[in-house]
Amino acid sequence: MQDMSRSPKLELTVHAGQAEQALALNVRKTAETPEDRWVRVMARIREARDQAAFAELFQHFAPRVKGMLMKSGSDAATAEECAQEVMATVWNKAAMFDPSRASLAAWIYAIARNRRIDMARRASRAEPEDLPWGPEAEPDQADALAFQQESRALADAVQRLPEKQRTLVERAFFGEMTHGEIAEVTGLPLGTIKSRIRLALDRLRREMTRP
């Protein structure tokens, strides 16, 4: 009787089955998730200012941001305007997105929530009646020179801050991010962010007032 366990045909079938299983496992391991794809898209925007990549991002997220804002109580026109501002922020601040801290959707929606709050505050703020109109007087040369020197001194002082403080200060003041946005991007507790920024500002104040 022939030993079927050693049949070339059977062995070939077994090997083929094993190969298919290995291939399927490898495909599952290397399959790109939607988040991976958006990280690649953001990298193209950040590194190459790729407008085609931004168009893809805009087409996907802008309607979702608008829908989220309308569900939160914004009218269609306000939601549309806010969504446009949010996507402009995404383009301008693409370098600040850190995929190790938050998903792209979470980052974008955090920007949208904060933008909506800002717009609500602007809408509820009374228009000042004594707002001065017309061009202001040009500063004299001495004032301009003093301002330039103070600006350089401040920039140097910021660079001397400990890295954990400097990064937050740069995001809060130069990147114009709110504390909430920084928390979403970095994953740090809001109290930690406020404490580090407060310590950094105290240190900068001391350095700028030092004779």
Side-chain angles (χ1 to χ4, degrees), residues 96-116:
M96 293 185 175
F97 171 60
D98 185 351
S100 69
R101 298 292 188 179
S103 68
L104 179 59
W107 186 64
I108 291 177
Y109 292 152
I111 295 173
R113 285 193 296 270
N114 284 285
R115 191 68 63 195
R116 179 177 179 272

Side-chain angles (χ1 to χ4, degrees), residues 110-188:
I111 295 173
R113 285 193 296 270
N114 284 285
R115 191 68 63 195
R116 179 177 179 272
I117 292 171
D118 290 342
M119 292 182 71
R121 287 172 178 169
R122 289 201 302 266
S124 63
R125 189 177 300 139
E127 188 72 16
E129 296 179 355
D130 56 346
L131 185 67
W133 296 95
E136 296 183 357
E138 291 290 331
D140 59 33
Q141 188 173 359
D143 289 340
L145 180 60
F147 177 76
Q148 291 176 359
Q149 292 174 341
E150 290 178 358
S151 298
R152 283 195 295 268
L154 177 59
D156 291 341
V158 169
Q159 291 302 312
R160 290 193 295 270
L161 288 171
E163 183 178 359
K164 291 181 179 180
Q165 295 178 9
R166 176 172 52 78
T167 301
L168 297 181
V169 168
E170 288 175 343
R171 286 179 170 177
F173 295 97
F174 305 126
E176 297 183 354
M177 296 179 70
T178 66
H179 290 176
E181 288 175 331
I182 296 173
E184 289 285 345
V185 172
T186 64
L188 293 171

Side-chain angles (χ1 to χ4, degrees), residues 8-9 35 37 41 62 103 144 152 159 172 174 180 195:
K9 183 176 180 180
E35 183 60 20
R37 182 169 69 87
V41 169
S103 68
R152 283 195 295 268
Q159 291 302 312
F174 305 126
S195 176

Side-chain angles (χ1 to χ4, degrees), residues 56-96:
E56 180 182 354
L57 191 79
F58 189 98
Q59 185 176 12
H60 179 84
F61 280 103
R64 288 165 172 78
V65 169
K66 180 179 177 180
M68 183 194 75
L69 294 169
M70 291 181 68
K71 289 179 181 178
S72 299
S74 298
D75 60 76
T78 300
E80 177 73 25
E81 179 184 356
C82 188
Q84 295 280 346
E85 291 185 11
V86 167
M87 298 312 296
T89 300
V90 171
W91 169 264
N92 291 325
K93 299 184 178 181
M96 293 185 175

Side-chain angles (χ1 to χ4, degrees), residues 7-26:
S7 169
K9 183 176 180 180
L10 181 58
E11 290 182 355
L12 181 60
T13 302
V14 171
H15 290 324
Q18 291 174 341
E20 289 177 359
Q21 291 177 357
L23 179 60
L25 180 61
N26 186 57

